[in-house]
Amino acid sequence: MDRRTMIGAWASKGFAFIVGLCLTFSIGCERAEPLHWQVSAATKALTPELSEKVTTAVREHSGTALKPRLVTVKAPTFDDEQHLKNGQRVYLKRCVQCHGVSGDGNGPVAGNLYPRPRDYTRGIFKFTSTAYGSKPRREDLVGTLKRGITGTSMPAFNLLSHKDLESVADYVIVLAQRGELEYQLTAEAADMEELDPESVPDLVDDVRTRWNDAKAGLTQPLSPQPELTEERVKLGREAFVAKRCVGCHGEDGRGHTKDNIGRDSWGHTTRAADLTSGMLHGGHDPVDIYRRILNGINGTPMPGFRSSLESEPETIWNLVAYVLHVSGARSRGESIPAGLMKPYGEPPADPAGTERSTDADEEPAK
């Protein structure tokens, strides 16, 4: 091949490369669709007219994905808007893959994860410092972000700045309040076959009241934390049996009981925790465990024991001592006997219709 032919071949290949590169960049740099929140399947199931009324009311009080706002803030300021936009930026970078754009737990990778990422749109959060059925405080969400949830795909984001943690927590609250308001408006519209404009402010105020009350709803221990001695571990073991904790968690704390399976408020099958795993999802500090025992866990079959233990507050600390002892067994090098695990399937149907609801609005059975 002579020099002229070689130059021509190189020029041809170079041109083809440049054309391909331009096509690649033009495709890759196409303008993305505008960010928007999806309405729920229940809202879509309404008549088009009612669905539009619901989405219009939700938009009025929750804003849009391009301009989010808290239902609890009646007149957002410029600083509020910038704070939430920063939270949205963090969310879209760190959280959307699992929790989805709308916060419904249906991100692109959600189907491959167990347990599934949390769906915020019911306004239910499992690990709170507030009473059973209450909304979380912002501090609860920030705490979850900082420590992650051991034993799940939820990592710790403790390297984020405090500003980013607070703003993304508030953006999660935006998604939760928006979803909760839509849920209530849709239920009202479906029940009445109409959405009375005069009922909308009451439903909005209900959402506001629940979230605002939670800000001052921190659950304080009924007695000061004592030294968690071996004697308290022994007493805690006795209480663990006497208070029927063994019914779900088992005599050995592993949760390998024949009936240890239920359904949570999101419709997923669930089990009581294997305490010996050392993976306490709501936190490992004594006060975290104390609140799980006293308040229960929202959206799950785990009840609170306030009514039965309020008169014997020291028993709660004894149970805390025992849970910490059991959860630390593996790290101490203790041998945990193998046990048979019931197949993790759907809970059996309840022909009598007596299966206990796990909706967060219902006081759990004690």
Short mmCIF file of all heavy atoms in Angstrom, two decimals, residues 273-323:
data_model
loop_
_atom_site.label_atom_id
_atom_site.label_comp_id
_atom_site.label_asym_id
_atom_site.label_seq_id
_atom_site.Cartn_x
_atom_site.Cartn_y
_atom_site.Cartn_z
N ALA A 273 -36.59 -10.71 65.09
CA ALA A 273 -35.14 -10.71 64.88
C ALA A 273 -34.47 -11.89 65.56
O ALA A 273 -34.90 -12.37 66.61
CB ALA A 273 -34.55 -9.41 65.43
N ASP A 274 -33.40 -12.36 64.93
CA ASP A 274 -32.48 -13.31 65.57
C ASP A 274 -31.53 -12.46 66.41
O ASP A 274 -30.60 -11.83 65.90
CB ASP A 274 -31.71 -14.09 64.50
CG ASP A 274 -30.63 -15.00 65.09
OD1 ASP A 274 -30.47 -15.00 66.33
OD2 ASP A 274 -29.96 -15.69 64.30
N LEU A 275 -31.80 -12.40 67.70
CA LEU A 275 -31.02 -11.52 68.57
C LEU A 275 -29.56 -11.95 68.66
O LEU A 275 -28.68 -11.12 68.91
CB LEU A 275 -31.65 -11.50 69.97
CG LEU A 275 -33.10 -11.00 70.02
CD1 LEU A 275 -33.63 -11.08 71.45
CD2 LEU A 275 -33.20 -9.57 69.50
N THR A 276 -29.29 -13.24 68.44
CA THR A 276 -27.91 -13.72 68.55
C THR A 276 -27.04 -13.27 67.38
O THR A 276 -25.82 -13.43 67.43
CB THR A 276 -27.86 -15.26 68.63
OG1 THR A 276 -28.24 -15.83 67.37
CG2 THR A 276 -28.78 -15.77 69.72
N SER A 277 -27.66 -12.75 66.33
CA SER A 277 -26.88 -12.30 65.17
C SER A 277 -26.02 -11.09 65.50
O SER A 277 -25.06 -10.79 64.80
CB SER A 277 -27.81 -11.96 64.00
OG SER A 277 -28.55 -10.77 64.28
N GLY A 278 -26.41 -10.37 66.55
CA GLY A 278 -25.69 -9.15 66.91
C GLY A 278 -26.08 -7.97 66.04
O GLY A 278 -25.51 -6.88 66.19
N MET A 279 -27.04 -8.16 65.13
CA MET A 279 -27.44 -7.10 64.21
C MET A 279 -28.78 -6.52 64.65
O MET A 279 -29.85 -6.96 64.22
CB MET A 279 -27.51 -7.62 62.77
CG MET A 279 -26.16 -8.07 62.25
SD MET A 279 -26.19 -8.62 60.52
CE MET A 279 -27.10 -10.16 60.64
N LEU A 280 -28.72 -5.57 65.58
CA LEU A 280 -29.93 -4.93 66.08
C LEU A 280 -30.23 -3.72 65.20
O LEU A 280 -29.53 -2.70 65.25
CB LEU A 280 -29.73 -4.51 67.54
CG LEU A 280 -29.31 -5.66 68.48
CD1 LEU A 280 -29.11 -5.14 69.90
CD2 LEU A 280 -30.33 -6.79 68.47
N HIS A 281 -31.23 -3.85 64.36
CA HIS A 281 -31.46 -2.86 63.30
C HIS A 281 -31.73 -1.45 63.82
O HIS A 281 -31.43 -0.47 63.14
CB HIS A 281 -32.63 -3.32 62.42
CG HIS A 281 -32.33 -4.57 61.65
ND1 HIS A 281 -33.28 -5.20 60.87
CD2 HIS A 281 -31.20 -5.30 61.54
CE1 HIS A 281 -32.74 -6.27 60.31
NE2 HIS A 281 -31.48 -6.36 60.71
N GLY A 282 -32.33 -1.35 64.99
CA GLY A 282 -32.69 -0.03 65.49
C GLY A 282 -31.62 0.65 66.32
O GLY A 282 -31.85 1.71 66.89
N GLY A 283 -30.42 0.05 66.38
CA GLY A 283 -29.34 0.64 67.15
C GLY A 283 -28.91 -0.24 68.31
O GLY A 283 -29.71 -1.04 68.82
N HIS A 284 -27.66 -0.13 68.72
CA HIS A 284 -27.09 -0.99 69.75
C HIS A 284 -26.94 -0.30 71.10
O HIS A 284 -26.53 -0.94 72.08
CB HIS A 284 -25.72 -1.52 69.30
CG HIS A 284 -25.80 -2.49 68.17
ND1 HIS A 284 -26.03 -2.10 66.87
CD2 HIS A 284 -25.68 -3.84 68.15
CE1 HIS A 284 -26.04 -3.17 66.10
NE2 HIS A 284 -25.83 -4.23 66.84
N ASP A 285 -27.23 0.98 71.19
CA ASP A 285 -27.14 1.66 72.47
C ASP A 285 -28.27 1.17 73.38
O ASP A 285 -29.38 0.88 72.90
CB ASP A 285 -27.25 3.17 72.30
CG ASP A 285 -26.02 3.76 71.63
OD1 ASP A 285 -24.97 3.09 71.65
OD2 ASP A 285 -26.12 4.88 71.09
N PRO A 286 -28.01 1.08 74.69
CA PRO A 286 -29.06 0.62 75.60
C PRO A 286 -30.38 1.36 75.45
O PRO A 286 -31.44 0.75 75.49
CB PRO A 286 -28.43 0.84 76.98
CG PRO A 286 -26.96 0.70 76.74
CD PRO A 286 -26.73 1.30 75.38
N VAL A 287 -30.33 2.68 75.26
CA VAL A 287 -31.57 3.44 75.15
C VAL A 287 -32.32 3.09 73.87
O VAL A 287 -33.56 3.15 73.83
CB VAL A 287 -31.30 4.96 75.25
CG1 VAL A 287 -30.60 5.48 73.99
CG2 VAL A 287 -32.59 5.73 75.51
N ASP A 288 -31.59 2.71 72.80
CA ASP A 288 -32.26 2.28 71.56
C ASP A 288 -33.07 1.01 71.81
O ASP A 288 -34.22 0.90 71.38
CB ASP A 288 -31.23 2.02 70.46
CG ASP A 288 -30.50 3.26 70.01
OD1 ASP A 288 -31.11 4.35 70.02
OD2 ASP A 288 -29.30 3.15 69.67
N ILE A 289 -32.46 0.05 72.50
CA ILE A 289 -33.14 -1.21 72.78
C ILE A 289 -34.30 -0.96 73.74
O ILE A 289 -35.39 -1.55 73.60
CB ILE A 289 -32.14 -2.22 73.37
CG1 ILE A 289 -30.99 -2.44 72.38
CG2 ILE A 289 -32.82 -3.53 73.71
CD1 ILE A 289 -29.81 -3.15 72.97
N TYR A 290 -34.09 -0.09 74.71
CA TYR A 290 -35.14 0.28 75.66
C TYR A 290 -36.38 0.77 74.92
O TYR A 290 -37.51 0.35 75.21
CB TYR A 290 -34.60 1.37 76.60
CG TYR A 290 -35.52 1.75 77.73
CD1 TYR A 290 -35.29 1.29 79.02
CD2 TYR A 290 -36.61 2.59 77.51
CE1 TYR A 290 -36.13 1.65 80.07
CE2 TYR A 290 -37.46 2.95 78.55
CZ TYR A 290 -37.22 2.49 79.82
OH TYR A 290 -38.04 2.84 80.87
N ARG A 291 -36.18 1.64 73.95
CA ARG A 291 -37.32 2.20 73.21
C ARG A 291 -38.00 1.15 72.34
O ARG A 291 -39.21 1.20 72.14
CB ARG A 291 -36.86 3.40 72.38
CG ARG A 291 -36.57 4.63 73.23
CD ARG A 291 -35.98 5.76 72.44
NE ARG A 291 -35.81 6.95 73.29
CZ ARG A 291 -34.78 7.78 73.22
NH1 ARG A 291 -33.80 7.56 72.32
NH2 ARG A 291 -34.71 8.83 74.01
N ARG A 292 -37.22 0.20 71.79
CA ARG A 292 -37.86 -0.87 71.02
C ARG A 292 -38.78 -1.71 71.91
O ARG A 292 -39.85 -2.11 71.49
CB ARG A 292 -36.80 -1.79 70.40
CG ARG A 292 -35.80 -1.17 69.45
CD ARG A 292 -36.38 -0.73 68.13
NE ARG A 292 -37.08 0.54 68.22
CZ ARG A 292 -36.49 1.74 68.33
NH1 ARG A 292 -35.18 1.83 68.37
NH2 ARG A 292 -37.20 2.84 68.39
N ILE A 293 -38.35 -1.95 73.14
CA ILE A 293 -39.15 -2.75 74.07
C ILE A 293 -40.37 -1.96 74.54
O ILE A 293 -41.50 -2.46 74.55
CB ILE A 293 -38.31 -3.20 75.28
CG1 ILE A 293 -37.18 -4.13 74.83
CG2 ILE A 293 -39.18 -3.87 76.34
CD1 ILE A 293 -36.14 -4.41 75.90
N LEU A 294 -40.16 -0.71 74.91
CA LEU A 294 -41.25 0.11 75.45
C LEU A 294 -42.27 0.48 74.38
O LEU A 294 -43.48 0.40 74.60
CB LEU A 294 -40.67 1.38 76.08
CG LEU A 294 -41.65 2.23 76.89
CD1 LEU A 294 -42.05 1.50 78.17
CD2 LEU A 294 -41.02 3.58 77.24
N ASN A 295 -41.78 0.88 73.19
CA ASN A 295 -42.65 1.40 72.15
C ASN A 295 -43.07 0.39 71.11
O ASN A 295 -44.06 0.59 70.40
CB ASN A 295 -41.96 2.57 71.43
CG ASN A 295 -41.72 3.77 72.32
OD1 ASN A 295 -42.40 3.95 73.32
ND2 ASN A 295 -40.75 4.58 71.97
N GLY A 296 -42.31 -0.70 70.95
CA GLY A 296 -42.54 -1.60 69.84
C GLY A 296 -41.89 -1.04 68.58
O GLY A 296 -41.14 -0.05 68.62
N ILE A 297 -42.17 -1.67 67.44
CA ILE A 297 -41.60 -1.25 66.16
C ILE A 297 -42.74 -1.00 65.19
O ILE A 297 -43.49 -1.92 64.84
CB ILE A 297 -40.63 -2.31 65.61
CG1 ILE A 297 -39.48 -2.54 66.59
CG2 ILE A 297 -40.07 -1.86 64.25
CD1 ILE A 297 -38.50 -3.61 66.15
N ASN A 298 -42.88 0.24 64.77
CA ASN A 298 -43.96 0.63 63.87
C ASN A 298 -44.01 -0.26 62.63
O ASN A 298 -42.98 -0.61 62.05
CB ASN A 298 -43.78 2.08 63.41
CG ASN A 298 -44.11 3.07 64.50
OD1 ASN A 298 -44.91 2.80 65.38
ND2 ASN A 298 -43.50 4.24 64.43
N GLY A 299 -45.22 -0.60 62.23
CA GLY A 299 -45.40 -1.30 60.96
C GLY A 299 -45.07 -2.77 60.99
O GLY A 299 -45.08 -3.42 59.96
N THR A 300 -44.76 -3.32 62.17
CA THR A 300 -44.37 -4.74 62.29
C THR A 300 -45.20 -5.40 63.39
O THR A 300 -45.87 -4.71 64.17
CB THR A 300 -42.88 -4.88 62.64
OG1 THR A 300 -42.71 -4.65 64.05
CG2 THR A 300 -42.03 -3.91 61.84
N PRO A 301 -45.13 -6.73 63.48
CA PRO A 301 -45.85 -7.41 64.58
C PRO A 301 -45.20 -7.23 65.95
O PRO A 301 -45.73 -7.74 66.93
CB PRO A 301 -45.80 -8.89 64.16
CG PRO A 301 -45.57 -8.88 62.69
CD PRO A 301 -44.68 -7.69 62.45
N MET A 302 -44.07 -6.52 66.03
CA MET A 302 -43.41 -6.32 67.33
C MET A 302 -44.20 -5.32 68.15
O MET A 302 -44.27 -4.13 67.82
CB MET A 302 -41.99 -5.80 67.11
CG MET A 302 -41.27 -5.31 68.37
SD MET A 302 -40.94 -6.63 69.54
CE MET A 302 -40.27 -5.68 70.92
N PRO A 303 -44.84 -5.77 69.26
CA PRO A 303 -45.66 -4.86 70.05
C PRO A 303 -44.82 -4.05 71.03
O PRO A 303 -43.67 -4.36 71.29
CB PRO A 303 -46.59 -5.82 70.81
CG PRO A 303 -45.74 -7.03 71.03
CD PRO A 303 -44.86 -7.14 69.79
N GLY A 304 -45.42 -3.01 71.55
CA GLY A 304 -44.80 -2.27 72.64
C GLY A 304 -45.29 -2.85 73.97
O GLY A 304 -46.37 -3.41 74.05
N PHE A 305 -44.49 -2.68 75.01
CA PHE A 305 -44.84 -3.24 76.31
C PHE A 305 -45.03 -2.15 77.37
O PHE A 305 -44.89 -2.41 78.56
CB PHE A 305 -43.75 -4.23 76.75
CG PHE A 305 -43.75 -5.51 75.95
CD1 PHE A 305 -43.03 -5.59 74.77
CD2 PHE A 305 -44.48 -6.59 76.37
CE1 PHE A 305 -43.03 -6.76 74.02
CE2 PHE A 305 -44.50 -7.77 75.63
CZ PHE A 305 -43.78 -7.86 74.45
N ARG A 306 -45.36 -0.96 76.92
CA ARG A 306 -45.53 0.14 77.88
C ARG A 306 -46.62 -0.20 78.90
O ARG A 306 -46.43 -0.02 80.11
CB ARG A 306 -45.86 1.44 77.16
CG ARG A 306 -46.14 2.61 78.11
CD ARG A 306 -46.48 3.87 77.36
NE ARG A 306 -45.31 4.47 76.75
CZ ARG A 306 -44.48 5.30 77.39
NH1 ARG A 306 -44.69 5.61 78.66
NH2 ARG A 306 -43.45 5.82 76.75
N SER A 307 -47.77 -0.64 78.42
CA SER A 307 -48.89 -0.85 79.35
C SER A 307 -48.60 -1.95 80.37
O SER A 307 -49.05 -1.88 81.51
CB SER A 307 -50.16 -1.18 78.57
OG SER A 307 -50.02 -2.40 77.87
N SER A 308 -47.83 -2.96 79.96
CA SER A 308 -47.58 -4.07 80.88
C SER A 308 -46.34 -3.86 81.74
O SER A 308 -46.18 -4.51 82.78
CB SER A 308 -47.45 -5.38 80.11
OG SER A 308 -46.38 -5.31 79.18
N LEU A 309 -45.44 -2.96 81.33
CA LEU A 309 -44.20 -2.78 82.08
C LEU A 309 -44.05 -1.41 82.73
O LEU A 309 -43.06 -1.15 83.41
CB LEU A 309 -42.99 -3.02 81.15
CG LEU A 309 -42.80 -4.45 80.64
CD1 LEU A 309 -41.60 -4.52 79.70
CD2 LEU A 309 -42.62 -5.43 81.80
N GLU A 310 -45.02 -0.54 82.50
CA GLU A 310 -44.91 0.81 83.06
C GLU A 310 -44.82 0.79 84.57
O GLU A 310 -44.16 1.65 85.18
CB GLU A 310 -46.12 1.65 82.61
CG GLU A 310 -45.91 3.14 82.72
CD GLU A 310 -46.90 3.91 81.89
OE1 GLU A 310 -47.96 3.36 81.56
OE2 GLU A 310 -46.61 5.09 81.57
N SER A 311 -45.45 -0.19 85.20
CA SER A 311 -45.43 -0.28 86.66
C SER A 311 -44.17 -0.95 87.20
O SER A 311 -43.96 -0.99 88.42
CB SER A 311 -46.67 -1.04 87.16
OG SER A 311 -46.67 -2.36 86.65
N GLU A 312 -43.37 -1.51 86.33
CA GLU A 312 -42.11 -2.16 86.75
C GLU A 312 -40.98 -1.74 85.81
O GLU A 312 -40.45 -2.55 85.05
CB GLU A 312 -42.28 -3.68 86.78
CG GLU A 312 -43.00 -4.27 85.58
CD GLU A 312 -43.18 -5.77 85.68
OE1 GLU A 312 -42.21 -6.48 86.02
OE2 GLU A 312 -44.31 -6.24 85.41
N PRO A 313 -40.60 -0.47 85.87
CA PRO A 313 -39.62 0.06 84.91
C PRO A 313 -38.26 -0.62 84.96
O PRO A 313 -37.57 -0.66 83.94
CB PRO A 313 -39.52 1.55 85.31
CG PRO A 313 -40.01 1.61 86.72
CD PRO A 313 -41.06 0.56 86.82
N GLU A 314 -37.88 -1.16 86.10
CA GLU A 314 -36.57 -1.82 86.18
C GLU A 314 -36.53 -3.08 85.33
O GLU A 314 -35.45 -3.49 84.86
CB GLU A 314 -36.22 -2.14 87.63
CG GLU A 314 -35.98 -0.91 88.49
CD GLU A 314 -34.95 0.03 87.88
OE1 GLU A 314 -33.81 -0.43 87.65
OE2 GLU A 314 -35.28 1.20 87.63
N THR A 315 -37.71 -3.69 85.12
CA THR A 315 -37.77 -4.88 84.29
C THR A 315 -37.34 -4.57 82.86
O THR A 315 -36.73 -5.41 82.19
CB THR A 315 -39.18 -5.49 84.30
OG1 THR A 315 -39.51 -5.86 85.64
CG2 THR A 315 -39.28 -6.71 83.40
N ILE A 316 -37.66 -3.37 82.41
CA ILE A 316 -37.27 -2.99 81.04
C ILE A 316 -35.75 -2.96 80.93
O ILE A 316 -35.18 -3.48 79.96
CB ILE A 316 -37.87 -1.62 80.65
CG1 ILE A 316 -39.37 -1.61 80.89
CG2 ILE A 316 -37.55 -1.29 79.19
CD1 ILE A 316 -40.03 -0.26 80.63
N TRP A 317 -35.08 -2.39 81.92
CA TRP A 317 -33.61 -2.35 81.89
C TRP A 317 -33.04 -3.77 82.00
O TRP A 317 -31.99 -4.07 81.40
CB TRP A 317 -33.07 -1.46 83.01
CG TRP A 317 -33.27 0.00 82.76
CD1 TRP A 317 -34.00 0.87 83.51
CD2 TRP A 317 -32.74 0.76 81.67
NE1 TRP A 317 -33.97 2.13 82.96
CE2 TRP A 317 -33.19 2.10 81.84
CE3 TRP A 317 -31.93 0.46 80.58
CZ2 TRP A 317 -32.86 3.12 80.95
CZ3 TRP A 317 -31.60 1.49 79.68
CH2 TRP A 317 -32.06 2.79 79.87
N ASN A 318 -33.71 -4.64 82.75
CA ASN A 318 -33.25 -6.03 82.83
C ASN A 318 -33.33 -6.69 81.46
O ASN A 318 -32.41 -7.43 81.06
CB ASN A 318 -34.10 -6.81 83.84
CG ASN A 318 -33.94 -6.31 85.26
OD1 ASN A 318 -32.96 -5.62 85.58
ND2 ASN A 318 -34.90 -6.64 86.12
N LEU A 319 -34.41 -6.43 80.73
CA LEU A 319 -34.55 -6.98 79.38
C LEU A 319 -33.49 -6.41 78.45
O LEU A 319 -32.94 -7.12 77.61
CB LEU A 319 -35.95 -6.68 78.83
CG LEU A 319 -37.08 -7.53 79.42
CD1 LEU A 319 -38.44 -6.92 79.06
CD2 LEU A 319 -36.99 -8.97 78.92
N VAL A 320 -33.19 -5.12 78.62
CA VAL A 320 -32.12 -4.50 77.82
C VAL A 320 -30.80 -5.22 78.07
O VAL A 320 -30.06 -5.54 77.14
CB VAL A 320 -32.00 -3.00 78.15
CG1 VAL A 320 -30.74 -2.41 77.52
CG2 VAL A 320 -33.23 -2.23 77.67
N ALA A 321 -30.50 -5.46 79.34
CA ALA A 321 -29.25 -6.15 79.69
C ALA A 321 -29.20 -7.53 79.05
O ALA A 321 -28.15 -7.94 78.53
CB ALA A 321 -29.14 -6.25 81.21
N TYR A 322 -30.33 -8.22 79.06
CA TYR A 322 -30.34 -9.57 78.49
C TYR A 322 -30.18 -9.53 76.97
O TYR A 322 -29.43 -10.34 76.40
CB TYR A 322 -31.64 -10.29 78.86
CG TYR A 322 -31.72 -11.68 78.28
CD1 TYR A 322 -30.85 -12.68 78.72
CD2 TYR A 322 -32.63 -11.99 77.28
CE1 TYR A 322 -30.90 -13.96 78.19
CE2 TYR A 322 -32.69 -13.27 76.73
CZ TYR A 322 -31.82 -14.24 77.18
OH TYR A 322 -31.86 -15.50 76.65
N VAL A 323 -30.87 -8.61 76.30
CA VAL A 323 -30.76 -8.50 74.84
C VAL A 323 -29.32 -8.17 74.44
O VAL A 323 -28.76 -8.76 73.50
CB VAL A 323 -31.73 -7.45 74.28
CG1 VAL A 323 -31.44 -7.15 72.81
CG2 VAL A 323 -33.18 -7.92 74.44
#
